[in-house]
Amino acid sequence: MLVLTVVLVMSLGGGDDEGGGGAVSPAPTGTRPTGTQPTDTKAAEAEARAVATRVALTPPDWGPGFARHTPYEVDPAPESLVRENCEFASRPSRIGTLASLLRNVTETATGIAGTSEVKVFADDATAQRYLADARDNIHRCPEQFRGKERWNDVREASPPELPGFDELVAEEGRQVVTAKGAKVNDVYVIATGRDGRNVLSAYVVGKADLDAQIRKYATDTLRKMHQRLGQQPEAAAGR
């Protein structure tokens, strides 16, 4: 799975613990990217977190009927990792991550669950590497697992046609077993876009017959986050 970005830290969906699943995890650590400055790190992180806090969506932003899903806010959010044995896991954020925040919601009527995630990196290059690693995760295994959870048909999909992004990546798949071992037929969509050093992800999961609605929520969420990013150019652009 991606994380969302894609891009996610917990199982979601169904409006309860037996719903659809997803998770987020971090990427490899390494040396500080060439050209970045170690000075004023705390100020840069505070600025980045302010961006993430403002851009990540709250329940009213998703629309009527959405409420907080537990856990509601994960800060810092990890990155996704698909191991060689196809186990879905997570790891701490890579060096160069200034902020990584996600918020989880659920729609009470349909059981659709969603996550909006914002990552702000020190520079464009680090954001590009993050997205490349996320894409590699998608292609590693079409069938993935975590504990009792099982996902099938994991694949890269055509991303939504949204203007203004430097890169767009989409992932789709199907959850067939929940964390408690119950069989389900849920689909998920993760839409991720990079704008400079900022990476935005929308993850939506729900019952298979709500596929069209799930796709629309993912596209609309990514669009709304990008619009918010553009409303604060001084703090968010970071070019």
Side-chain angles (χ1 to χ4, degrees):
M1 266 182 223
L2 186 60
V3 72
L4 94 273
T5 245
V6 195
V7 119
L8 304 145
V9 188
M10 68 296 300
S11 292
L12 299 175
D16 55 34
D17 290 340
E18 287 298 290
V24 182
S25 36
T29 57
T31 57
R32 181 176 295 277
T34 302
T36 61
Q37 299 299 321
T39 58
D40 299 326
T41 300
K42 290 189 180 298
E45 290 176 348
E47 182 181 85
R49 192 180 185 286
V51 171
T53 300
R54 180 170 178 176
V55 173
L57 301 193
T58 62
D61 299 323
W62 285 78
F66 277 92
R68 294 186 177 194
H69 185 100
T70 303
Y72 170 59
E73 198 168 82
V74 180
D75 178 20
E79 297 180 18
S80 299
L81 168 66
V82 179
R83 303 186 191 280
E84 294 299 327
N85 66 350
C86 297
E87 179 185 10
F88 182 64
S90 63
R91 59 189 173 189
S93 295
R94 68 191 64 209
I95 288 176
T97 303
L98 299 180
S100 181
L101 170 71
L102 66 80
R103 290 181 178 144
N104 298 303
V105 301
T106 185
E107 188 178 35
T108 52
T110 63
I112 287 176
T115 299
S116 60
E117 181 181 32
V118 181
K119 292 184 181 291
V120 182
F121 297 95
D123 52 33
D124 291 22
T126 306
Q128 287 176 307
R129 287 193 294 271
Y130 167 80
L131 208 56
D133 291 340
R135 182 179 275 114
D136 182 60
N137 274 341
I138 299 173
H139 293 282
R140 183 156 298 148
C141 300
E143 296 185 6
Q144 299 175 16
F145 73 95
R146 177 181 57 191
K148 294 181 180 180
E149 290 178 282
R150 296 291 184 273
W151 295 272
N152 292 344
D153 200 21
V154 176
R155 63 196 182 278
E156 185 169 1
S158 298
E161 296 182 2
L162 296 175
F165 284 101
D166 297 310
E167 296 181 81
L168 284 162
V169 179
E171 176 185 341
E172 296 177 358
R174 184 180 302 272
Q175 182 169 20
V176 295
V177 182
T178 71
K180 292 186 177 181
K183 292 183 178 180
V184 291
N185 183 26
D186 292 347
V187 298
Y188 73 86
V189 175
I190 305 174
T192 300
R194 182 182 69 83
D195 185 343
R197 65 187 180 114
N198 308 283
V199 176
L200 315 177
S201 294
Y203 167 80
V204 187
V205 61
K207 297 185 182 304
D209 58 0
L210 300 174
D211 181 69
Q213 196 171 349
I214 288 167
R215 293 174 186 275
K216 185 176 186 303
Y217 277 134
T219 299
D220 290 349
T221 299
L222 188 58
R223 179 188 295 112
K224 287 180 181 179
M225 286 194 291
H226 195 227
Q227 289 171 344
R228 287 188 171 187
L229 188 66
Q231 292 169 358
Q232 42 182 349
E234 322 80 30
R239 304 242 182 189

